[in-house]
Amino acid sequence: MTGKALSSRSSRELRQTRLEGFDEKILALSARGMTTRDIQAQVQDLYGVEVSPTLISPLTQAVMEEVRQWQARPLEAVYPIVYLDGLVVKGREHHHLINQSVYLELGVNLSGYKERLRRWLAQNEGAKFWLAVLTELQNRGLTDSFIAWVDGLTGFPEAIEAVYPQTRGQRCLVHLVRSSLRDVSSKHMKAVATDLQAISAASTETEAELNLERFAEKGDARSPSSSKAWRAHWARVIPLFAFPAAIGQVIYTTKAIESMNMTLRKVTRNHRLFPCDEAVYQVVYLAVRNLAKRWTMPIRDWRPALNCFAVEFAGRFPQ
C-alpha cells in the first residue's frame, strides 16, 4: 500500500474511532494560539496522521456554545476587587482590516480566588458602551465591588459611577509606569524606573505626591511629558494610598490582569488576522480557560486584606 493510501486510511480511522482525549488535545493546542494549520502539523508529528480543517474547525466552533453559556452564568453578589483591561487584535469587517479591542474583566471573590467574569469585543469604547457592560454584570447578580482597577478606558468612570456609585475607581499604576518609560533612553531607564517605583511604593498620599514632584523635577527636564499622565490621572491614582497596607498589597502586587494579558498577547500574536468575531472569542476563551486552571489557591496575603475590607467597607461587607 502506498504512503498516500496509508495516510488516507489513517485519517479515516482517526475520524471513525477518535483517539482518546483527541478533542481536548485539539482545544488545548488552540488555547495556546495555534492556527488550524499549526494544529494539523502538530497532529501529524505526534500521531503520524493527517487531519483536515473540516475535522478541526467543528471542535473549535462548538466552543461558542460553551462561551455563550459561560457569559450568561450568574455571578456572585460581591467581588472586593475587579480588574478591567483590554488588548487590541486585528480583524476583518466587510473586506476591510480593522483593529478591535478585547476587553477582559477579572474578579477576586470573597474567598480570594481569581475568577473570569466576562469579555467583550468592540471597536470603540465610551460611557454608553461601558454602561451596557456594567448593567449586564449587574443583571447577572453582581451587586457590589469595592475597588475597580482599570486602565484609562474612555467613559468608564462615568459609567461605573452610574451603575456602582460606591465603587472606588483605581487607575492602574502598571500602565502609568509603562507609559512613563516608553520614551526613556536606555541610559536613563534604571534611574527613571527607580523614581517611578518610589511613587508606587509610597505609604501615604503625601509621600506619593512628594515622590511625584521629585520625579517631575528630574524627568520633565529630559522629557516635558514625563509626569503629564500621572498628574492628569492623579485623582484616580491616590485612592490606593488611602487604603490600609494589607489592601494596597493585594491590589497592586497581584497584577492579575497584567499576567492574563501577557498570556493573551502571546496567543493572539500567532493569529495575524481573525476572520470574524467568533474566532476572537474562541481563541481568547480557550486561552483564559487554560490559564484559569492554575488559579487553585487564593491570592497571597488575602486573609489580612479581607479583614481590612470588612472594616473599611463595614456597611457593605456581606455578613
Side-chain angles (χ1 to χ4, degrees):
M1 187 178 294
T2 67
K4 183 175 181 179
L6 280 171
S7 177
S8 177
R9 178 183 174 184
S10 296
S11 296
R12 288 197 302 273
E13 290 175 351
L14 181 60
R15 286 194 294 270
Q16 291 168 2
T17 63
R18 228 38 183 280
L19 294 172
E20 184 178 354
F22 178 75
D23 291 5
E24 281 303 315
K25 288 181 173 64
I26 293 296
L27 294 179
L29 294 175
S30 181
R32 287 169 171 78
M34 287 192 174
T35 63
T36 298
R37 182 175 295 180
D38 294 333
I39 294 173
Q40 286 178 283
Q42 185 79 346
V43 171
Q44 174 71 45
D45 290 342
L46 290 173
Y47 303 112
V49 296
E50 295 178 8
V51 291
S52 69
T54 57
L55 180 64
I56 298 172
S57 295
L59 294 178
T60 54
Q61 290 171 5
V63 172
M64 282 308 300
E65 180 57 34
E66 184 179 337
V67 172
R68 284 186 281 269
Q69 293 177 9
W70 175 81
Q71 298 204 145
R73 78 198 189 286
L75 299 174
E76 294 188 20
V78 177
Y79 291 86
I81 309 172
V82 169
Y83 298 88
L84 184 62
D85 199 5
L87 70 156
V88 176
V89 296
K90 291 189 178 298
R92 187 186 297 277
E93 183 178 72
H94 305 306
H95 307 292
H96 295 289
L97 299 182
I98 58 171
N99 285 333
Q100 293 179 290
S101 293
V102 181
Y103 297 104
L104 303 118
E105 189 156 19
L106 182 71
V108 178
N109 63 28
L110 288 165
S111 298
Y113 287 87
K114 291 180 285 187
E115 182 180 329
R116 304 166 294 156
L117 301 184
R118 185 65 156 88
R119 60 190 46 81
W120 299 266
L121 187 65
Q123 290 184 51
N124 301 296
E125 62 188 60
K128 186 177 180 180
F129 170 77
W130 291 118
L131 185 63
V133 165
L134 295 172
T135 300
E136 180 194 321
L137 294 177
Q138 189 178 60
N139 291 339
R140 288 171 57 198
L142 198 164
T143 61
D144 199 6
S145 178
F146 303 146
I147 300 163
W149 177 274
V150 299
D151 190 13
L153 302 174
T154 304
F156 186 81
E158 295 82 357
I160 200 166
E161 286 170 8
V163 182
Y164 298 104
Q166 293 181 293
T167 297
R168 299 186 192 178
Q170 173 65 52
R171 187 66 159 80
C172 178
L173 302 192
V174 175
H175 287 84
L176 284 173
V177 169
R178 185 180 297 149
S179 176
S180 297
L181 292 173
R182 188 170 295 135
D183 298 323
V184 175
S185 66
S186 56
K187 177 182 177 181
H188 299 111
M189 184 70 71
K190 185 175 181 180
V192 173
T194 299
D195 291 341
L196 291 171
Q197 177 63 26
I199 301 173
S200 303
S203 56
T204 65
E205 179 184 341
T206 301
E207 182 185 349
E209 288 179 338
L210 179 61
N211 290 337
L212 175 60
E213 291 303 320
R214 289 172 176 168
F215 166 70
E217 287 175 7
K218 294 186 290 184
D220 289 356
R222 293 188 293 264
S223 173
S225 61
S226 290
S227 62
K228 184 177 180 180
W230 288 86
R231 296 188 190 280
H233 299 287
W234 193 246
R236 298 193 180 279
V237 170
I238 56 177
L240 178 66
F241 306 111
F243 291 121
I247 292 180
Q249 182 77 5
V250 297
I251 294 174
Y252 183 64
T253 58
T254 54
K255 301 178 185 175
I257 199 74
E258 284 297 304
S259 174
M260 186 164 67
N261 277 353
M262 186 181 299
T263 297
L264 291 177
R265 286 189 185 96
K266 291 179 181 178
V267 168
T268 57
R269 193 178 297 131
N270 290 339
H271 297 263
R272 295 185 178 181
L273 176 66
F274 287 92
C276 61
D277 290 356
E278 284 196 353
V280 181
Y281 278 119
Q282 290 166 13
V283 170
V284 171
Y285 175 79
L286 289 171
V288 179
R289 188 184 70 170
N290 197 45
L291 179 65
K293 293 176 182 178
R294 308 175 198 170
W295 300 342
T296 58
M297 298 287 290
I299 61 177
R300 183 180 298 179
D301 300 321
W302 179 250
R303 180 54 59 180
L306 187 64
N307 293 337
C308 289
F309 275 121
V311 174
E312 187 78 13
F313 302 94
R316 297 155 57 192
F317 197 84
Q319 300 300 316

